[in-house]
């Protein structure tokens, strides 16, 4: 049977229709309002392989690789996907699928009678097994029509051979030939409103329904692009007990011309309007009760509303309700509360361990507390084993760790300090982190229940000490939104640092005056390949487009506030684990080595691509994007970089561009550097401190010597600000020290133009700047 209609497919048919197909089938059977559709069964995938005669080539030739050879695995995965995509689907299968699609069209025809748009989603038969969860890697396509349907289904089949999945199966000794995939083809609901519904409070399990809603398609809520309205509902009376109505600037909708989904601005009058009416809330409560009693346990439901009709798109059990949950806290505790002054305590200086349950100590890198099972992650592919709520324990953060970090309750590393990549990214994501423990990967055991105290820099044995500690993370956007509606007005601008474009909305919600540093390293590292390798495999244009996408996401979220994006500055050790990383030079101290503008000037091809990405953004009107060069030493570095800018068509007289001051040489030679035509400098105090004091910022053995407030560092800052003021060049700080009140005070008094802090510190910095500015004013008139 090529296809099964959703009503015919039940949860017991998981082998035929996969996890997603089975669950949608079961909901349809139960009479719940699921958009109609059908499943291209796992058998059809098998038939395709057999009829096309590609099984031997696929399983015995292409995928018969050596488990120890990462590059061979990556190549095998690529070749397997290509073979599937390029092998024609047998005519009989094609006919069955197109026939079902047309029948679906007849069932769902609207007044205009146009072709139906469908969602095409992979539904892997192994997807929901705990040890083989590659859900995120399987393809989903929205707004598909007949012309592309078969190709999209082939692409879903091909996604069974995503690189990490092939890696995992090869390493675990699983037979690739035994894994199947089904594909769900379902009517698209052009939602006017959509969101999620928790049939119980997701942390306490209390009898309260929680609904989140926004305008347009649900992808905007699920992906975090929009901060949705939030309602707490009494299910007995179907009344709203508490509601928070947000400013919903964007919505996801379908372009009627191209059929593509895109973010667009919400009409002004709808932005702050409440999305759901009381009747719609009642409808949701009714559906919530039906689905919960059908499954016999609390559910997390994705829903959509179109023309007053409510549709259920997905339902899963809520897994975050803790066993000992009692009453819900009156206010969700903010995990990741703000430390007043981020400490850089040395590893040994703590002495509060009388209770003896402290297992390891390190540097408090990102505040908040998280409990869960420790997952010792030694290799990239082990990241798949990190499940929701686990604690990642690794030597150092690894490339491509962000997806796993999103699932993790906290992060603990052996190496690193406050300004290491691990710390920067975890702070940005709001995940508690302790770094530089020296021995966490040895002392902690895989699966051991631990509690990470990001504030104190400790890892304790066991779960949370508070019995009613909530198991969920708070809304990351809400946790940074200023509590007072009025943002402190300051003459010195207060901006925010960013590395992950997905955090742009969260960063913008701080009310910052722009982005003072957008690091692109993370965008590059998450491609899984070194820039050189990526360009060799996919071409320059693909690399440029990746960068354009990442930077544009941030430029869009902040427009018209300025976004200062920096060209690449990743030390070679951060590239080592990536594909192509074996070609990186081995350096004694990568921090002193081949990174920043020196690498860019030495290897201009990737650098030119980065510059071309800026050029494309300028050309399409992102006049809020600024370009910044890292780790320059002197005017020659800057002039050579300027020549490359001109070569790709950037006019340095028109674009706003500048340099990081992060070596003593650049601070001492600032007048010559300024003569190259820069508009601004930004102090990278992470590097400026390490190079002034000869303290490797990644070395946990000297972490207590890393002092950005050292008089030597301050002297360089002071003289640079003074020169720049005379030359009319703006000054800023974007190193970690911008979050320290003593540094803020020093710089504002010296006359810095802007301060760019971490997301979690922006609010405090705004207040601190205001306080210092007011004191300066008062002092001047006293
Ligand atoms: C710095 O050096 O202070 C800085 C902001 O750059 P990075 O941390 O990326 O080296
Ligand atoms: Mg730096």
């Amino acid at each position: 049977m090529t296809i099964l209609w959703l009503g015919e497919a039940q949860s017991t048919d998981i082998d035929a229709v996969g996890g997603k197909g089975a669950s949608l089938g079961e909901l349809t059977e139960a009479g719940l309002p699921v958009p109609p559709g059908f499943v291209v069964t796992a058998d059809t995938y098998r038939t395709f392989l057999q009829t096309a005669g590609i099984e031997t080539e696929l399983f015995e030739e292409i995928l018969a690789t050596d488990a120890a050879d990462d590059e061979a695995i990556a190549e095998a995965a690529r070749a397997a996907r290509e073979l599937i995509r390029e092998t024609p689907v047998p005519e009989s299968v094609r006919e069955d699928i197109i026939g079902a699609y047309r029948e679906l069209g007849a069932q769902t025809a609207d007044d205009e009678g146009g072709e139906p748009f469908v969602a095409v989603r992979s539904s892997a038969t192994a997807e929901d097994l705990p040890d083989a969860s590659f859900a995120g890697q399987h393809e989903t396509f929205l707004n598909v029509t007949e012309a592309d349907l078969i190709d999209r289904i082939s692409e879903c089949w091909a996604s069974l051979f995503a690189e990490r999945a092939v890696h995992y199966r090869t390493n675990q000794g699983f037979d690739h030939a035994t894994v199947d995939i089904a594909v769900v083809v379902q009517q698209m609901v052009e939602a006017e409103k959509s969101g999620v519904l928790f049939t119980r409070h997701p942390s306490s399990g209390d009898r309260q329904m929680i609904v989140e809603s926004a305008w347009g398609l649900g992808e905007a809520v699920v992906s975090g692009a929009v901060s949705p309205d939030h309602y707490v509902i009494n299910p007995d009376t179907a009344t709203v007990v508490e509601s928070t109505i947000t400013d919903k600037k964007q919505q996801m909708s379908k372009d009627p011309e191209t059929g593509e989904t895109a973010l667009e601005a919400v009409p002004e009058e709808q932005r702050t309007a409440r999305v759901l009416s009381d009747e719609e809330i009642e409808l949701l409560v009714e559906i919530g009760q039906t689905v919960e009693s059908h499954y016999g346990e609390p559910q997390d439901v994705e829903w959509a509303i179109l023309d007053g009709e409510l549709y259920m798109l997905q339902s899963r059990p809520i897994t975050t309700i803790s066993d000992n949950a009692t009453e819900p806290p009156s206010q969700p505790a903010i995990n990741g509360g703000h430390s007043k002054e981020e400490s850089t305590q040395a590893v040994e200086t703590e002495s509060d361990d009388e209770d003896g349950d402290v297992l390891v100590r390190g540097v408090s890198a990102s505040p908040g507390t998280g409990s869960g099972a420790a997952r010792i992650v030694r290799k990239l592919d082990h990241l798949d084993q990190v499940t929701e709520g686990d604690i990642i324990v690794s030597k150092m953060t690894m490339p491509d760790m962000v997806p796993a970090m999103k699932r993790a309750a906290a992060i603990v590393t052996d190496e690193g300090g406050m300004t290491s990549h691990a710390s920067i990214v975890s702070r940005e994501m709001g995940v508690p982190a302790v770094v530089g423990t020296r021995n966490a990967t040895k002392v902690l055991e895989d699966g051991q229940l631990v509690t990470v105290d990001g504030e104190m820099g400790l890892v304790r044995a066991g779960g949370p000490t508070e019995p009613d500690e909530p198991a969920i993370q708070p809304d990351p956007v809400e946790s940074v939104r200023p509590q007072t509606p009025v943002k402190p007005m300051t003459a010195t601008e207060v901006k925010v640092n960013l590395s992950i474009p997905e955090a742009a909305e969260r960063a913008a919600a701080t009310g910052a005056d722009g982005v003072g540093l957008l690091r692109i390293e993370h965008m590059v590292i998450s491609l899984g390949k070194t820039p050189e390798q990526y360009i060799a495999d996919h071409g320059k244009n693909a690399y440029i487009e990746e960068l354009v996408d990442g930077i544009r996401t941030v430029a869009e979220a902040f427009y018209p506030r300025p976004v200062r994006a920096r060209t690449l500055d990743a030390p070679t050790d951060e590239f080592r684990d990536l594909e192509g990383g074996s070609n990186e030079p081995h350096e004694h101290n990568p921090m002193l080595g081949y990174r920043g503008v020196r690498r860019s000037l030495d290897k201009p091809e990737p650098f030119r691509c980065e510059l071309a990405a800026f050029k494309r953004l300028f050309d399409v009107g992102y006049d809020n994007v600024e370009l910044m060069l890292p780790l320059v030493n002197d005017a020659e570095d800057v002039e050579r970089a300027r020549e490359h800018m001109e070569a790709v068509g950037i006019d340095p007289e028109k674009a706003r561009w500048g340099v990081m001051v992060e070596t003593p040489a650049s601070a001492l030679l600032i007048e010559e550097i300024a003569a190259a035509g820069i508009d601004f400098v930004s102090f990278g105090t992470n590097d400026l401190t390490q190079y002034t004091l000869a303290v490797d910022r990644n070395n946990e053995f000297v972490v207590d010597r890393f002092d950005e407030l050292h008089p030597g560092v301050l002297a360089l800052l002071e003289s640079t600000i003074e020169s720049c003021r005379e030359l009319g060049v703006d000054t800023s700080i974007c190193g970690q020290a911008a979050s320290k009140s003593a540094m803020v005070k020093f710089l504002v008094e010296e006359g810095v133009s802007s301060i760019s802090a971490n997301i979690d510190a922006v609010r405090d910095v705004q207040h601190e700047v205001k306080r210092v500015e007011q004191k300066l004013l008062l002092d001047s008139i006293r």
Side-chain angles (χ1 to χ4, degrees), residues 519 566 569 595 630-631 660 662 684-688 697:
R519 290 179 170 94
R566 187 177 70 179
D569 181 11
R595 54 173 288 215
L631 215 69
M660 303 272 299
E662 36 190 1
T685 43
N686 304 337
D687 281 320
L688 189 59
R697 59 192 264 198

Side-chain angles (χ1 to χ4, degrees), residues 306-317:
L306 173 66
D307 292 335
E309 292 282 323
L310 177 70
Y311 293 92
M312 274 187 66
L313 307 180
Q314 177 142 296
S315 184
R316 309 185 200 92

